[in-house]
Amino acid sequence: MLELSEAQIGGWLGAFMLPLFRIAAMLMVMPIIGTQLVPVRVRLYMALAISVVLVPTLPPMPDVDALSLPMMLLIAEQILVGVMMGFMLLLMFHVFAVAGQIIAMQMGLAFASMVDPANGVSVPVLGQFLLMLSTLLFLAMNGHLVVFEVLAESFVTLPVGEAFLLERYWLLAGKLSWVLGAGVLLALPAITALLVVNIAFGVMTRAAPQLNIFSIGFPMTLVLGMLIFWLSLADFLAHYQLIASDALQQLRELAGTP
């Protein structure tokens, strides 16, 4: 009769549970998979499936009792690492949402908002459009496969029990300003064109004070803003490739992968 000791069961359980918590934490936070559109049960099944495939290829896990305090600390560490990696990827998608919000405010379309089904909040229509477009491009270019590759490599570069969380935390905190800067640069051509339109309306108001700028300027700004936004989409793919490659490189730096 096969007999298993408590140490063997605890070792096998720890070897599977520690990677599972890091994988599940990233899947719960990262965009596309970690949104409200994907049920929590489906995300848990995906984490279990990835763990079953990935665990046999990982380095040995720390030999710690499964019900001890050190195991709880290791689990908390893995959850924090997974959340940081997922949040780093989430920043990339918020760049396009911020750019859409800035353009919508400049063209007077900020009042036209809709409920984002992924996050459950109201966002301007232009921001939601850019967010959906970037999501489709991310999946079409197999960005999710790159993320899973970085996740698998992170178990080698950030071994369980040896992750330098404080250093990684400050690295992540330093990237928060990157979102606003990238969003402004993405929306800068449209903002500049709309600024010229607003200056032109200001000159018209000074030249002909009898014109009602509120009844003429708002619809003209809205129509010209939509035209400028449509023309700016011609270079959207080039901007997306730069932002996506930069974000994935920062994700590699956070995970310590080359």
Side-chain angles (χ1 to χ4, degrees):
M1 182 177 180
L2 180 61
E3 294 183 1
L4 298 176
S5 63
E6 183 179 352
Q8 290 176 327
I9 297 176
W12 292 344
L13 186 62
F16 181 79
M17 294 297 292
L18 290 175
L20 175 63
F21 276 103
R22 181 184 295 193
I23 296 171
M26 195 190 77
L27 293 182
M28 294 294 175
V29 177
M30 69 176 292
I32 304 174
I33 299 176
T35 60
Q36 296 182 1
L37 298 175
V38 181
V40 178
R41 184 176 299 177
V42 175
R43 283 177 265 172
L44 181 58
Y45 289 157
M46 291 181 62
L48 287 172
I50 296 175
S51 299
V52 170
V53 176
L54 196 60
V55 165
T57 64
L58 298 180
M61 296 293 136
D63 187 10
V64 182
D65 187 8
L67 300 178
S68 61
L69 180 61
M71 177 59 72
M72 299 298 107
L73 296 177
L74 289 177
I75 290 175
E77 179 189 66
Q78 300 314 301
I79 293 176
L80 185 57
V81 171
V83 168
M84 291 170 61
M85 294 178 64
F87 186 73
M88 188 67 201
L89 187 63
L90 189 65
L91 292 178
M92 182 192 77
F93 287 85
H94 280 290
V95 168
F96 302 98
V98 169
Q101 291 177 2
I102 294 175
I103 297 174
M105 291 178 61
Q106 292 296 319
M107 63 186 295
L109 201 61
F111 65 91
S113 60
M114 61 180 296
V115 177
D116 184 4
N119 300 314
V121 296
S122 295
V123 296
V125 175
L126 292 183
Q128 180 67 14
F129 174 77
L130 292 180
L131 192 59
M132 293 172 60
L133 186 59
S134 61
T135 300
L136 294 176
L137 288 174
F138 183 78
L139 294 175
M141 296 181 177
N142 292 327
H144 56 294
L145 299 181
V146 177
V147 173
F148 292 149
E149 179 184 0
V150 174
L151 176 62
E153 294 176 355
S154 68
F155 287 98
V156 178
T157 57
L158 293 177
V160 177
E162 299 180 10
F164 300 96
L165 294 182
L166 185 59
E167 176 186 351
R168 305 297 170 179
Y169 174 79
W170 286 114
L171 178 62
L172 179 62
K175 303 299 183 181
L176 295 178
S177 60
W178 170 78
V179 177
L180 182 60
V184 171
L185 289 177
L186 183 61
L188 190 59
I191 293 175
T192 305
L194 290 171
L195 179 61
V196 173
V197 172
N198 291 327
I199 293 175
F201 280 120
V203 173
M204 290 173 56
T205 304
R206 296 291 295 176
Q210 65 273 17
L211 290 177
N212 190 351
I213 192 63
F214 293 101
S215 61
I216 298 176
F218 179 73
M220 287 298 296
T221 303
L222 188 59
V223 173
L224 292 176
M226 292 300 295
L227 179 61
I228 293 169
F229 179 74
W230 176 64
L231 293 175
S232 65
L233 289 178
D235 295 330
F236 181 79
L237 181 59
H239 290 295
Y240 171 80
Q241 289 177 339
L242 291 176
I243 294 174
S245 60
D246 190 14
L248 292 176
Q249 180 61 35
Q250 292 180 11
L251 179 63
R252 289 185 177 276
E253 293 178 2
L254 182 66
T257 57

